[in-house]
Amino acid sequence: MNVLKNKIKAEGVVLSETVLKVDSFLNHQVDPELMMEIGKEFAHRFKEEGITKILTIESSGIAPGVMAALYLNVPLVFARKKKSLTLTEGVLTSKVYSFTKQEENTISISREYIQKNDRVLLIDDFLANGQAALGLIDLVKQAEAVVAGIGIVIEKSFQNGGKIVRDTGYRVESLAEIESLENGEVQFKEEEAT
Ligand code: 5GP
């Protein structure tokens, strides 16, 4: 998705060989027009999948997720990372280890919002080691719903999450695939092939 790649090139900050900072449009400040284009693109790619719900994780998955939900005309559910005072009964939980933050989070959703047989599109901002996506898959399975696909805004292809998640057999669509962050530069996958 060129508009996204151009934004990453212009505003992305390479923090290390493994971490990209995109606080100016996705992880802190949010660019609503770009989120709209991202939502439209996810909706286009998954329009034949009979999606009935979108599931993401707070907080950075919410902006792209809600736009995809708007264009697919379905609700968005976001898994919570912190214990909620109001989320007390019928809660499904899964543990997610973040290599980036080196911490484990328990993510949770209410059973009420993902029903048996829902066809769920999972959305997240980054795919790195795949643990967040696996946690979301686990929640959908516990709800006896169906994972209909996984939409990722930025995939870091040099980390192993893409393989781990694709090996589960689910369709993964990434809007920007980063092959390398070496030498302080963002190298996209397609650029290498040309
Ligand atoms: P995974 O579970 O695939 O290892 O990591 C996914 C989560 O870690 C994403 O939801 C994102 O919040 C965070 N993350 C992983 N790598 C990066 C990165 O390079 N930049 C930013 N901003 N977040 C990342």
Side-chain angles (χ1 to χ4, degrees):
M1 194 187 174
N2 283 335
V3 63
L4 172 62
K5 288 188 197 164
N6 290 339
K7 190 76 167 177
I8 294 171
K9 272 190 184 155
E11 297 184 16
V13 179
V14 178
L15 287 187
S16 70
E17 290 197 346
T18 55
V19 180
L20 176 69
K21 182 172 169 176
V22 289
D23 278 10
S24 72
F25 63 90
L26 181 58
N27 288 148
H28 194 9
Q29 175 170 261
V30 173
D31 179 334
E33 268 185 38
L34 179 64
M35 290 309 123
M36 197 176 73
E37 293 305 323
I38 285 171
K40 233 186 254 180
E41 183 65 25
F42 280 137
H44 173 70
R45 294 192 190 195
F46 289 100
K47 66 177 184 294
E48 313 293 348
E49 303 289 348
I51 309 293
T52 61
K53 284 272 162 89
I54 291 184
L55 176 63
T56 187
I57 304 189
E58 67 176 353
S59 53
S60 294
I62 296 176
V66 77
M67 287 300 175
L70 180 70
Y71 285 100
L72 284 167
N73 198 22
V74 297
L76 165 83
V77 179
F78 62 88
R80 290 180 166 166
K81 281 184 187 160
K82 297 237 163 70
K83 261 215 169 107
S84 160
L85 281 177
T86 54
L87 197 58
T88 49
E89 278 171 34
V91 179
L92 304 174
T93 62
S94 190
K95 289 201 188 311
V96 173
Y97 183 75
S98 166
F99 288 98
T100 317
K101 292 178 187 149
Q102 305 227 324
E103 63 180 25
E104 188 177 74
N105 281 301
T106 299
I107 60 168
S108 54
I109 57 168
S110 164
R111 248 180 209 287
E112 199 179 338
Y113 299 120
I114 303 283
Q115 302 274 330
K116 197 173 174 181
N117 300 329
D118 258 330
R119 291 186 57 82
V120 184
L121 173 61
L122 307 179
I123 298 270
D124 206 5
D125 58 341
F126 273 88
L127 178 58
N129 294 290
Q131 300 306 300
L134 292 180
L136 290 174
I137 291 169
D138 182 36
L139 291 180
V140 174
K141 283 187 174 163
Q142 288 182 49
E144 296 178 76
V146 176
V147 175
I150 300 166
I152 299 292
V153 180
I154 304 171
E155 175 174 348
K156 292 181 293 178
S157 311
F158 56 88
Q159 291 178 304
N160 60 5
K163 179 169 169 28
I164 290 171
V165 177
R166 286 184 181 89
D167 280 353
T168 61
Y170 298 118
R171 176 178 167 204
V172 180
E173 291 281 338
S174 301
L175 304 187
E177 288 185 63
I178 294 176
E179 186 66 47
S180 150
L181 292 174
E182 281 168 22
N183 306 317
E185 265 181 45
V186 179
Q187 179 83 36
F188 292 105
K189 211 172 174 185
E190 288 82 346
E191 284 180 344
E192 281 215 325
T194 54

PDB file of all heavy atoms in Angstrom, residues 18-22 27 97-101 124-132 156, ligand 1:
ATOM      1  N   THR A  18      15.602  -3.699  14.995  1.00  0.00           N
ATOM      2  CA  THR A  18      14.348  -4.465  15.093  1.00  0.00           C
ATOM      3  C   THR A  18      13.120  -3.620  15.400  1.00  0.00           C
ATOM      4  O   THR A  18      12.007  -4.123  15.304  1.00  0.00           O
ATOM      5  CB  THR A  18      14.458  -5.555  16.200  1.00  0.00           C
ATOM      6  OG1 THR A  18      14.837  -4.928  17.427  1.00  0.00           O
ATOM      7  CG2 THR A  18      15.464  -6.628  15.833  1.00  0.00           C
ATOM      8  N   VAL A  19      13.302  -2.366  15.774  1.00  0.00           N
ATOM      9  CA  VAL A  19      12.126  -1.582  16.202  1.00  0.00           C
ATOM     10  C   VAL A  19      11.954  -0.301  15.379  1.00  0.00           C
ATOM     11  O   VAL A  19      12.884   0.489  15.215  1.00  0.00           O
ATOM     12  CB  VAL A  19      12.212  -1.228  17.708  1.00  0.00           C
ATOM     13  CG1 VAL A  19      10.994  -0.409  18.138  1.00  0.00           C
ATOM     14  CG2 VAL A  19      12.300  -2.490  18.563  1.00  0.00           C
ATOM     15  N   LEU A  20      10.744  -0.138  14.857  1.00  0.00           N
ATOM     16  CA  LEU A  20      10.376   1.054  14.086  1.00  0.00           C
ATOM     17  C   LEU A  20       9.373   1.867  14.889  1.00  0.00           C
ATOM     18  O   LEU A  20       8.370   1.331  15.379  1.00  0.00           O
ATOM     19  CB  LEU A  20       9.740   0.617  12.757  1.00  0.00           C
ATOM     20  CG  LEU A  20       9.206   1.738  11.876  1.00  0.00           C
ATOM     21  CD1 LEU A  20      10.345   2.575  11.305  1.00  0.00           C
ATOM     22  CD2 LEU A  20       8.356   1.159  10.744  1.00  0.00           C
ATOM     23  N   LYS A  21       9.639   3.172  14.988  1.00  0.00           N
ATOM     24  CA  LYS A  21       8.710   4.047  15.710  1.00  0.00           C
ATOM     25  C   LYS A  21       7.826   4.775  14.696  1.00  0.00           C
ATOM     26  O   LYS A  21       8.339   5.413  13.774  1.00  0.00           O
ATOM     27  CB  LYS A  21       9.546   5.046  16.528  1.00  0.00           C
ATOM     28  CG  LYS A  21       8.732   5.993  17.383  1.00  0.00           C
ATOM     29  CD  LYS A  21       9.672   6.786  18.297  1.00  0.00           C
ATOM     30  CE  LYS A  21       8.944   7.918  18.976  1.00  0.00           C
ATOM     31  NZ  LYS A  21       9.800   8.624  19.926  1.00  0.00           N
ATOM     32  N   VAL A  22       6.523   4.653  14.889  1.00  0.00           N
ATOM     33  CA  VAL A  22       5.589   5.350  13.992  1.00  0.00           C
ATOM     34  C   VAL A  22       4.574   6.137  14.831  1.00  0.00           C
ATOM     35  O   VAL A  22       3.376   6.118  14.558  1.00  0.00           O
ATOM     36  CB  VAL A  22       4.883   4.374  13.002  1.00  0.00           C
ATOM     37  CG1 VAL A  22       5.842   3.865  11.948  1.00  0.00           C
ATOM     38  CG2 VAL A  22       4.246   3.202  13.735  1.00  0.00           C
ATOM     39  N   ASN A  27       0.935   5.163  16.416  1.00  0.00           N
ATOM     40  CA  ASN A  27       1.070   4.683  17.794  1.00  0.00           C
ATOM     41  C   ASN A  27       0.912   5.741  18.891  1.00  0.00           C
ATOM     42  O   ASN A  27       0.959   5.422  20.079  1.00  0.00           O
ATOM     43  CB  ASN A  27       2.423   3.982  17.983  1.00  0.00           C
ATOM     44  CG  ASN A  27       2.480   2.629  17.301  1.00  0.00           C
ATOM     45  OD1 ASN A  27       3.529   2.210  16.851  1.00  0.00           O
ATOM     46  ND2 ASN A  27       1.356   1.940  17.206  1.00  0.00           N
ATOM     47  N   TYR A  97       3.023 -12.608  25.356  1.00  0.00           N
ATOM     48  CA  TYR A  97       4.343 -12.105  25.728  1.00  0.00           C
ATOM     49  C   TYR A  97       4.850 -11.148  24.652  1.00  0.00           C
ATOM     50  O   TYR A  97       4.833 -11.474  23.463  1.00  0.00           O
ATOM     51  CB  TYR A  97       5.343 -13.252  25.920  1.00  0.00           C
ATOM     52  CG  TYR A  97       6.690 -12.732  26.369  1.00  0.00           C
ATOM     53  CD1 TYR A  97       6.876 -12.309  27.683  1.00  0.00           C
ATOM     54  CD2 TYR A  97       7.739 -12.601  25.469  1.00  0.00           C
ATOM     55  CE1 TYR A  97       8.089 -11.783  28.093  1.00  0.00           C
ATOM     56  CE2 TYR A  97       8.966 -12.080  25.880  1.00  0.00           C
ATOM     57  CZ  TYR A  97       9.128 -11.668  27.195  1.00  0.00           C
ATOM     58  OH  TYR A  97      10.330 -11.137  27.596  1.00  0.00           O
ATOM     59  N   SER A  98       5.250  -9.974  25.046  1.00  0.00           N
ATOM     60  CA  SER A  98       5.798  -9.013  24.095  1.00  0.00           C
ATOM     61  C   SER A  98       7.321  -9.018  24.184  1.00  0.00           C
ATOM     62  O   SER A  98       7.887  -8.645  25.213  1.00  0.00           O
ATOM     63  CB  SER A  98       5.252  -7.611  24.404  1.00  0.00           C
ATOM     64  OG  SER A  98       6.026  -6.657  23.703  1.00  0.00           O
ATOM     65  N   PHE A  99       7.975  -9.444  23.082  1.00  0.00           N
ATOM     66  CA  PHE A  99       9.439  -9.415  23.044  1.00  0.00           C
ATOM     67  C   PHE A  99       9.931  -7.975  22.993  1.00  0.00           C
ATOM     68  O   PHE A  99      10.977  -7.636  23.531  1.00  0.00           O
ATOM     69  CB  PHE A  99       9.958 -10.177  21.816  1.00  0.00           C
ATOM     70  CG  PHE A  99       9.790 -11.662  21.931  1.00  0.00           C
ATOM     71  CD1 PHE A  99       8.720 -12.304  21.331  1.00  0.00           C
ATOM     72  CD2 PHE A  99      10.713 -12.427  22.636  1.00  0.00           C
ATOM     73  CE1 PHE A  99       8.561 -13.670  21.435  1.00  0.00           C
ATOM     74  CE2 PHE A  99      10.559 -13.802  22.753  1.00  0.00           C
ATOM     75  CZ  PHE A  99       9.483 -14.431  22.149  1.00  0.00           C
ATOM     76  N   THR A 100       9.136  -7.120  22.330  1.00  0.00           N
ATOM     77  CA  THR A 100       9.517  -5.708  22.189  1.00  0.00           C
ATOM     78  C   THR A 100       9.551  -5.032  23.554  1.00  0.00           C
ATOM     79  O   THR A 100      10.488  -4.316  23.877  1.00  0.00           O
ATOM     80  CB  THR A 100       8.503  -4.981  21.268  1.00  0.00           C
ATOM     81  OG1 THR A 100       8.226  -5.816  20.159  1.00  0.00           O
ATOM     82  CG2 THR A 100       9.041  -3.651  20.808  1.00  0.00           C
ATOM     83  N   LYS A 101       8.502  -5.282  24.342  1.00  0.00           N
ATOM     84  CA  LYS A 101       8.433  -4.621  25.658  1.00  0.00           C
ATOM     85  C   LYS A 101       8.953  -5.514  26.769  1.00  0.00           C
ATOM     86  O   LYS A 101       9.057  -5.095  27.922  1.00  0.00           O
ATOM     87  CB  LYS A 101       6.985  -4.217  25.950  1.00  0.00           C
ATOM     88  CG  LYS A 101       6.514  -3.115  25.011  1.00  0.00           C
ATOM     89  CD  LYS A 101       5.069  -2.732  25.256  1.00  0.00           C
ATOM     90  CE  LYS A 101       4.592  -1.767  24.193  1.00  0.00           C
ATOM     91  NZ  LYS A 101       3.167  -1.906  23.896  1.00  0.00           N
ATOM     92  N   ASP A 124      -4.124  -5.879  13.628  1.00  0.00           N
ATOM     93  CA  ASP A 124      -3.165  -5.305  14.570  1.00  0.00           C
ATOM     94  C   ASP A 124      -2.237  -4.343  13.846  1.00  0.00           C
ATOM     95  O   ASP A 124      -2.126  -4.384  12.616  1.00  0.00           O
ATOM     96  CB  ASP A 124      -2.377  -6.400  15.305  1.00  0.00           C
ATOM     97  CG  ASP A 124      -1.868  -5.915  16.679  1.00  0.00           C
ATOM     98  OD1 ASP A 124      -2.211  -4.784  17.089  1.00  0.00           O
ATOM     99  OD2 ASP A 124      -1.132  -6.664  17.340  1.00  0.00           O
ATOM    100  N   ASP A 125      -1.585  -3.481  14.625  1.00  0.00           N
ATOM    101  CA  ASP A 125      -0.716  -2.478  14.006  1.00  0.00           C
ATOM    102  C   ASP A 125       0.573  -3.097  13.467  1.00  0.00           C
ATOM    103  O   ASP A 125       0.975  -2.821  12.343  1.00  0.00           O
ATOM    104  CB  ASP A 125      -0.417  -1.329  15.002  1.00  0.00           C
ATOM    105  CG  ASP A 125       0.249  -1.808  16.299  1.00  0.00           C
ATOM    106  OD1 ASP A 125       0.170  -3.013  16.624  1.00  0.00           O
ATOM    107  OD2 ASP A 125       0.854  -0.961  16.991  1.00  0.00           O
ATOM    108  N   PHE A 126       1.216  -3.962  14.262  1.00  0.00           N
ATOM    109  CA  PHE A 126       2.491  -4.574  13.857  1.00  0.00           C
ATOM    110  C   PHE A 126       2.410  -6.088  13.959  1.00  0.00           C
ATOM    111  O   PHE A 126       1.740  -6.627  14.849  1.00  0.00           O
ATOM    112  CB  PHE A 126       3.627  -4.119  14.791  1.00  0.00           C
ATOM    113  CG  PHE A 126       4.286  -2.837  14.387  1.00  0.00           C
ATOM    114  CD1 PHE A 126       3.784  -1.612  14.821  1.00  0.00           C
ATOM    115  CD2 PHE A 126       5.410  -2.848  13.572  1.00  0.00           C
ATOM    116  CE1 PHE A 126       4.398  -0.422  14.461  1.00  0.00           C
ATOM    117  CE2 PHE A 126       6.033  -1.658  13.199  1.00  0.00           C
ATOM    118  CZ  PHE A 126       5.523  -0.450  13.645  1.00  0.00           C
ATOM    119  N   LEU A 127       3.130  -6.768  13.083  1.00  0.00           N
ATOM    120  CA  LEU A 127       3.373  -8.202  13.260  1.00  0.00           C
ATOM    121  C   LEU A 127       4.883  -8.357  13.398  1.00  0.00           C
ATOM    122  O   LEU A 127       5.636  -8.045  12.467  1.00  0.00           O
ATOM    123  CB  LEU A 127       2.847  -8.997  12.058  1.00  0.00           C
ATOM    124  CG  LEU A 127       3.078 -10.511  12.073  1.00  0.00           C
ATOM    125  CD1 LEU A 127       2.450 -11.164  13.299  1.00  0.00           C
ATOM    126  CD2 LEU A 127       2.526 -11.158  10.801  1.00  0.00           C
ATOM    127  N   ALA A 128       5.315  -8.805  14.569  1.00  0.00           N
ATOM    128  CA  ALA A 128       6.748  -8.964  14.836  1.00  0.00           C
ATOM    129  C   ALA A 128       7.042 -10.439  15.109  1.00  0.00           C
ATOM    130  O   ALA A 128       7.411 -11.192  14.212  1.00  0.00           O
ATOM    131  CB  ALA A 128       7.155  -8.080  16.006  1.00  0.00           C
ATOM    132  N   ASN A 129       6.815 -10.863  16.351  1.00  0.00           N
ATOM    133  CA  ASN A 129       7.035 -12.279  16.688  1.00  0.00           C
ATOM    134  C   ASN A 129       5.741 -13.096  16.730  1.00  0.00           C
ATOM    135  O   ASN A 129       5.757 -14.281  17.050  1.00  0.00           O
ATOM    136  CB  ASN A 129       7.783 -12.388  18.004  1.00  0.00           C
ATOM    137  CG  ASN A 129       9.189 -11.829  17.878  1.00  0.00           C
ATOM    138  OD1 ASN A 129      10.038 -12.412  17.214  1.00  0.00           O
ATOM    139  ND2 ASN A 129       9.424 -10.666  18.463  1.00  0.00           N
ATOM    140  N   GLY A 130       4.643 -12.441  16.453  1.00  0.00           N
ATOM    141  CA  GLY A 130       3.377 -13.161  16.276  1.00  0.00           C
ATOM    142  C   GLY A 130       2.598 -13.470  17.537  1.00  0.00           C
ATOM    143  O   GLY A 130       1.531 -14.070  17.476  1.00  0.00           O
ATOM    144  N   GLN A 131       3.127 -13.044  18.698  1.00  0.00           N
ATOM    145  CA  GLN A 131       2.478 -13.451  19.951  1.00  0.00           C
ATOM    146  C   GLN A 131       1.114 -12.782  20.143  1.00  0.00           C
ATOM    147  O   GLN A 131       0.174 -13.403  20.644  1.00  0.00           O
ATOM    148  CB  GLN A 131       3.398 -13.159  21.143  1.00  0.00           C
ATOM    149  CG  GLN A 131       4.726 -13.903  21.067  1.00  0.00           C
ATOM    150  CD  GLN A 131       4.529 -15.406  20.888  1.00  0.00           C
ATOM    151  OE1 GLN A 131       3.915 -16.046  21.726  1.00  0.00           O
ATOM    152  NE2 GLN A 131       5.008 -15.952  19.784  1.00  0.00           N
ATOM    153  N   ALA A 132       1.007 -11.515  19.735  1.00  0.00           N
ATOM    154  CA  ALA A 132      -0.272 -10.811  19.865  1.00  0.00           C
ATOM    155  C   ALA A 132      -1.329 -11.492  18.987  1.00  0.00           C
ATOM    156  O   ALA A 132      -2.456 -11.751  19.440  1.00  0.00           O
ATOM    157  CB  ALA A 132      -0.112  -9.341  19.463  1.00  0.00           C
ATOM    158  N   LYS A 156       6.976  -6.871  10.027  1.00  0.00           N
ATOM    159  CA  LYS A 156       8.433  -6.902   9.933  1.00  0.00           C
ATOM    160  C   LYS A 156       8.797  -8.331   9.526  1.00  0.00           C
ATOM    161  O   LYS A 156       8.857  -9.234  10.358  1.00  0.00           O
ATOM    162  CB  LYS A 156       9.063  -6.501  11.267  1.00  0.00           C
ATOM    163  CG  LYS A 156       8.811  -5.020  11.609  1.00  0.00           C
ATOM    164  CD  LYS A 156       9.452  -4.607  12.922  1.00  0.00           C
ATOM    165  CE  LYS A 156       8.800  -5.286  14.086  1.00  0.00           C
ATOM    166  NZ  LYS A 156       9.403  -4.976  15.391  1.00  0.00           N
TER     167      LYS A 156
HETATM  168  P1  5GP B   1       4.309  -9.503  18.264  1.00  0.00           P
HETATM  169  O1  5GP B   1       3.329 -10.030  19.244  1.00  0.00           O
HETATM  170  O2  5GP B   1       3.963  -9.851  16.827  1.00  0.00           O
HETATM  171  O3  5GP B   1       5.729  -9.827  18.608  1.00  0.00           O
HETATM  172  O4  5GP B   1       4.290  -7.939  18.391  1.00  0.00           O
HETATM  173  C1  5GP B   1       3.148  -7.243  18.100  1.00  0.00           C
HETATM  174  C2  5GP B   1       2.984  -6.044  18.999  1.00  0.00           C
HETATM  175  O5  5GP B   1       4.217  -5.493  19.464  1.00  0.00           O
HETATM  176  C3  5GP B   1       2.304  -4.966  18.195  1.00  0.00           C
HETATM  177  O6  5GP B   1       0.950  -4.904  18.577  1.00  0.00           O
HETATM  178  C4  5GP B   1       3.027  -3.699  18.563  1.00  0.00           C
HETATM  179  O7  5GP B   1       2.317  -3.030  19.564  1.00  0.00           O
HETATM  180  C5  5GP B   1       4.342  -4.127  19.151  1.00  0.00           C
HETATM  181  N1  5GP B   1       5.486  -3.973  18.218  1.00  0.00           N
HETATM  182  C6  5GP B   1       6.265  -4.986  17.754  1.00  0.00           C
HETATM  183  N2  5GP B   1       7.259  -4.505  16.990  1.00  0.00           N
HETATM  184  C7  5GP B   1       7.103  -3.170  16.938  1.00  0.00           C
HETATM  185  C8  5GP B   1       7.826  -2.106  16.285  1.00  0.00           C
HETATM  186  O8  5GP B   1       8.848  -2.287  15.582  1.00  0.00           O
HETATM  187  N3  5GP B   1       7.342  -0.856  16.459  1.00  0.00           N
HETATM  188  C9  5GP B   1       6.250  -0.585  17.215  1.00  0.00           C
HETATM  189  N4  5GP B   1       5.855   0.685  17.294  1.00  0.00           N
HETATM  190  N5  5GP B   1       5.540  -1.566  17.858  1.00  0.00           N
HETATM  191  C10 5GP B   1       5.970  -2.838  17.713  1.00  0.00           C
END
